[in-house]
């Protein structure tokens, strides 16, 4: 029994690796000093130590990430509480504005007043970094209005009165966002990133336009970002603001960026080559301010036109020594700079324009080409006798002026040459109303372009029987009667997550076709020998810029048939 028990016990213990290992070690001679003892045990200890270190490393990494997330969320949603800043902002109480004091930043974008270390009242604009950018158009306009009121209020407190200041007045009480962040009046803003603007372009060795990455030279010291948004559905108004903003940025030494994220027409590069590449990075979005004008990083949009290109702008840039249209020459020059830099059509459309111009020139030589731009739709003329009746400038008026230009300009040396030139001359017609092309006054004349044509409600297309080989594109939405913003906004669209589904939205595709038709019309008509149009339309004023000051104004080859109005860049009607 004892032997059986002993044997049984020995057998059980032999299955225990630790006991077995210990007995083997104790039953063997002591190792000599020159030999490595217990190699298998030390390997296991080393592996176990490495496992523990890896676990500690993973734990500390996740703890660090969690800490950063907690800090970030705290900064975003704690309403400025980490630094307990004392701020004031204007609030209307009764008929007067009153400064309301608070110990936290406002939850929305708002001008705020603070007291600096020297006891001076300063103001800046607080834009929470968790806002959706770009802000709504009305928000930017509201920020300008409230900034003006706050600056006026502080001026009254400091001086007992508020003065009337010029366009380049510097308000010393204003504190730029970057300065306010350094002084901890505002939390750290978002980092600069490229996705918030249209990427710039460079020119490859073969001359093809290619998109380049931004050079890494740091954030721009001064910039102007033009936001393409759609409080005004007119494409012409967008172009006018874009060109003027570019010219202003260049004059003021600012880097220029375009933000197209909320543009109802889709992406900028659907129509144009990428804009010129600045030599620096775009600023953080919390630092792009619509007002005051001397802010380091200015933001301009259609909604802020009244502030950026208002009466103070005209007073600054109109030539006081000029008479009538000559006063507008400096403003014209700003727009012209924008046109030259930005009006580079997308490659296939640009190629079409070049070919179309060659076709027209071949047809009219040795005669003349007269571009005729007819705007209908919701744009009524300035001339009182038509405007008061809700009528348009009659088509025959365009034709009469075009013929007068032909007779005056051909100046024949002999009758045969005159008849040949007059008979070969053509009107080159562009209109937002497809029915205009079928009017008897314009029969037998040239369309500006056939790449994109507008449909009518009567027969879902326009009369292109004179062009049997036509292979262009058609805007299916009926625009009979011309472009009307009310109809534009009624076009059905889909939305996903608060933003336009640009790639899949049929309405956006229709708008893009319509815009391309408009751009192609302008590109062709502006290259004709004469241009006849109505100055009440933005397209007419753009055509003058595209022709250039000397050709359009000095030589009188841009002719307005809508009253006695001269060219003017910004109009308030």
């Amino acid at each position: 029994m004892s032997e059986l028990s002993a044997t049984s016990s020995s057998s059980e213990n032999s299955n225990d690796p630790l006991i077995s290992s210990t007995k083997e070690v104790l039953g063997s001679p002591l190792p000599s000093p020159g030999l490595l003892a217990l190699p298998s045990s030390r390997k296991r200890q080393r592996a176990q130590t490495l496992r523990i270190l890896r676990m500690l490393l993973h734990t500390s990494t996740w703890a660090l990430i969690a800490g950063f997330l907690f800090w970030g969320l705290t900064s975003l949603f704690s309403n400025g509480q980490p630094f307990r800043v004392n701020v004031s902002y204007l609030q209307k109480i009764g008929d007067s504005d009153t400064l309301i004091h608070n110990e936290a930043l406002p939850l929305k974008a708002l001008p705020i007043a603070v007291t600096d270390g020297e006891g001076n009242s300063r103001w800046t604009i607080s834009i929470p970094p968790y806002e959706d950018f770009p802000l709504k158009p009305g928000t930017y306009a509201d920020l300008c209005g409230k900034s003006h009121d706050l600056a006026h209020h502080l001026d009254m407190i400091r001086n007992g009165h508020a003065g009337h200041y010029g366009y380049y007045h510097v308000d010393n009480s204003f504190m730029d966002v970057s300065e306010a962040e350094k002084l901890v009046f505002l939390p750290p803003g978002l980092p600069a990133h490229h996705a918030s603007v249209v990427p710039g372009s460079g020119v490859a060795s073969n001359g093809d336009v290619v998109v380049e990455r931004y050079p890494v030279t740091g954030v721009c010291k001064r910039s102007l970002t033009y936001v393409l948004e759609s409080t005004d559905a007119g494409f012409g108004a967008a172009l006018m603001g874009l060109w003027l903003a570019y010219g202003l940025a260049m004059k003021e030494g600012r880097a220029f960026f375009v933000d197209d994220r909320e543009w109802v027409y889709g992406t900028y590069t659907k129509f144009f080559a990428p804009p010129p590449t600045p030599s620096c990075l775009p600023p953080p979005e919390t630092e792009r301010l619509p007002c005051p004008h001397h802010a380091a990083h200015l933001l301009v949009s259609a909604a802020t036109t009244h502030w950026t290109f208002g009466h103070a702008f005209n007073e600054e840039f109109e030539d006081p020594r000029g008479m009538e249209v000559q006063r507008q020459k400096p403003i014209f020059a700003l727009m012209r700079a924008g046109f030259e830099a930005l009006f580079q059509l997308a490659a296939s459309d640009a190629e079409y324009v070049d070919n179309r111009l060659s076709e027209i020139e071949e047809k009219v030589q040795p005669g003349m080409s007269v571009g005729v731009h007819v705007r209908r739709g919701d744009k009524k003329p300035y001339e009182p006798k038509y405007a008061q009746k809700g009528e348009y400038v009659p088509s025959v008026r365009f034709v009469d002026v075009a013929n007068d230009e032909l007779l005056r300009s051909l100046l024949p040396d002999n009758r045969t040459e005159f008849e040949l030139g007059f008979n070969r001359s053509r009107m080159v017609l562009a209109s937002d109303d497809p029915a205009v092309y079928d009017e008897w006054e314009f029969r037998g004349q040239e369309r500006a372009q056939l790449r994109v044509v507008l449909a009518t409600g009567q027969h879902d297309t326009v009369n292109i029987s004179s062009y049997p080989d036509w292979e262009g594109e058609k805007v299916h939405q009926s625009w009979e009667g011309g472009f009307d913003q009310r109809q534009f906004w009624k076009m059905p669209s889909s939305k996903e997550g608060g933003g336009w589904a640009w790639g899949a939205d049929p309405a956006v595709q229709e708008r893009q076709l319509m815009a391309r038709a408009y751009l192609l019309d302008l590109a062709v008509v502006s290259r004709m020998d004469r241009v006849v149009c109505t100055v009440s339309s933005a397209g007419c004023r753009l055509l003058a810029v595209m022709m250039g000051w000397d050709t359009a104004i000095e030589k009188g080859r841009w002719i307005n048939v809508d009253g006695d109005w001269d060219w003017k860049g910004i109009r308030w009607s």
Side-chain angles (χ1 to χ4, degrees), residues 67 342 352 503 533:
L342 303 175
Y352 173 84
C533 57

Side-chain angles (χ1 to χ4, degrees), residues 6 19 47 82-83 115 138-139 143 145 172 242 306 309 312 367 408 419 433 438-439 463 466-467 510 533 556 561 563:
I19 295 175
F83 20 83
T115 303
T139 302
L143 282 175
N172 291 322
L242 182 71
H306 173 75
F309 301 123
R408 182 166 43 249
E419 288 181 352
D433 181 359
D438 291 333
E439 293 181 359
N463 184 5
S466 302
Y467 307 92
E510 283 285 286
C533 57
V561 294

